[in-house]
């Protein structure tokens, strides 16, 4: 693997390394949404959502399309949905392992 590819991966995962960004991606996995819709669904103020959308746009993870005076956001690559699903499976596996370990300690 080339250094360029490693750097791309590191930058990509840094862009995902924020809970609000992950939540935004999960919402966009359900379908395209405007900033107002995203703000409403995450229950966060506009500046926080806009700031995180800017990071995701800069890293080409989401795209924004003008629709009148609104911007509609969408996932640039639908494989992001697969990545989020894999991350959930990894989390669940860790959780199962932790629960098993705790069960053994409590026996």
């Amino acid at each position: 693997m080339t250094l360029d590819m490693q750097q791309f991966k590191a930058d990509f995962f840094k862009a995902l390394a924020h809970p609000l960004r992950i939540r935004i991606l999960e919402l966009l996995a359900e379908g395209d949404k405007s900033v107002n819709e995203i703000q409403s669904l995450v229950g966060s103020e506009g500046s926080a959502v806009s700031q995180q959308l800017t990071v995701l746009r800069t890293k080409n993870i989401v795209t924004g399309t003008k629709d009148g005076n609104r911007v509609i956001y969408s996932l640039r690559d639908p494989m992001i949905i697969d990545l989020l699903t894999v991350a959930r499976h990894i989390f669940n596996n860790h959780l199962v392992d932790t629960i098993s370990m705790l069960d053994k300690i409590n026996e």
Side-chain angles (χ1 to χ4, degrees):
M1 187 177 326
T2 67
L3 185 58
D4 290 340
M5 180 56 74
Q6 291 168 340
Q7 187 62 52
F8 169 80
K9 288 179 181 180
D11 291 342
F12 178 79
F13 283 112
K14 281 181 198 172
L16 299 181
H18 191 284
L20 183 53
R21 284 183 231 146
I22 297 295
R23 181 66 182 127
I24 290 168
L25 293 175
E26 290 170 342
L27 290 171
L28 294 176
E30 298 169 2
D32 300 351
K33 296 189 177 28
S34 69
V35 176
N36 290 338
E37 290 173 304
I38 294 169
Q39 289 169 354
S40 173
L41 291 166
V42 300
S44 183
E45 63 183 52
S47 61
V49 169
S50 293
Q51 181 181 22
Q52 301 311 325
L53 283 166
T54 297
V55 172
L56 293 170
R57 276 182 83 164
T58 301
K59 295 300 180 181
N60 291 314
I61 296 171
V62 301
T63 59
T65 307
K66 281 277 200 182
D67 180 27
N69 62 352
R70 303 182 319 157
V71 177
I72 304 299
Y73 285 91
S74 59
L75 296 175
R76 184 168 185 261
D77 188 329
M79 291 204 56
I80 293 288
I81 298 167
D82 297 335
L83 180 64
L84 295 172
T85 301
V86 168
R88 187 176 333 107
H89 288 302
I90 291 169
F91 172 80
N92 288 341
N93 290 343
H94 284 283
L95 188 59
V96 166
D97 290 345
T98 302
I99 290 169
S100 293
M101 184 175 60
L102 289 173
D103 286 343
K104 289 178 184 176
I105 292 171
N106 290 326
E107 287 180 350

